[in-house]
Amino acid sequence: MKLTRRESKQRRHKRVRAKVSGSSERPRLAVFRSQQHIYAQVIDDTQHHTLVAASTVEPEVKSKLQSGANCTASTTVGKLIAERALEKGITKVVFDRGGNLYHGRIKALAEAAREAGLDF
């Protein structure tokens, strides 16, 4: 039986989350990709708190971009999440691609966050 794209993504997401968990010392950088936007959060799973967040929905980011659904937007969000995390003293994170393949917009966000100073 062939799985749908949605079912495949859900299975990958469960597999990733079984192995990846954020702690106080090394929180989880979770990425959500929708059709029109991309969102990133740095989460401490032990306390169930979002420490830092950034997305293409924010007015200051949205005004700079033509579209929230391309690699340029992902790069912008990656840099922004890294800057905000560094301001809070977070330098090391665990990357959670959220069931998405490490390709395209997800890869662009991850590489931009690494270049901006996050270690993962």
Side-chain angles (χ1 to χ4, degrees):
M1 188 174 93
K2 187 166 168 65
L3 296 175
T4 64
R5 290 173 62 103
R6 183 178 183 187
E7 290 169 336
S8 296
K9 182 179 176 182
Q10 287 174 341
R11 281 189 177 190
R12 282 193 306 266
H13 188 71
K14 282 183 182 179
R15 230 179 8 248
V16 169
R17 287 294 290 125
K19 298 173 187 172
V20 175
S21 179
S23 63
S24 299
E25 303 85 41
R26 200 171 174 113
R28 175 170 56 100
L29 173 57
V31 177
F32 174 73
R33 178 181 62 92
S34 73
Q35 288 289 325
Q36 297 172 354
H37 295 285
I38 193 155
Y39 307 81
Q41 294 180 324
V42 176
I43 303 167
D44 180 0
D45 288 320
T46 57
Q47 297 181 350
H48 308 289
H49 283 293
T50 298
L51 305 172
V52 181
S55 72
T56 54
V57 178
E58 296 175 12
E60 70 248 14
V61 177
K62 199 172 191 177
S63 63
K64 297 177 187 173
L65 304 170
Q66 286 185 325
S67 170
N70 57 23
C71 286
T72 307
S74 295
T75 303
T76 305
V77 172
K79 289 178 184 174
L80 186 60
I81 194 81
E83 288 171 8
R84 290 178 180 177
L86 291 172
E87 285 175 9
K88 291 248 182 165
I90 302 165
T91 56
K92 292 186 176 189
V93 295
V94 179
F95 189 66
D96 176 10
R97 56 191 169 88
N100 297 296
L101 298 176
Y102 187 78
H103 176 76
R105 293 195 282 159
I106 302 297
K107 184 176 179 180
L109 187 143
E111 289 177 351
R114 278 191 191 107
E115 288 175 15
L118 281 183
D119 181 32
F120 59 93

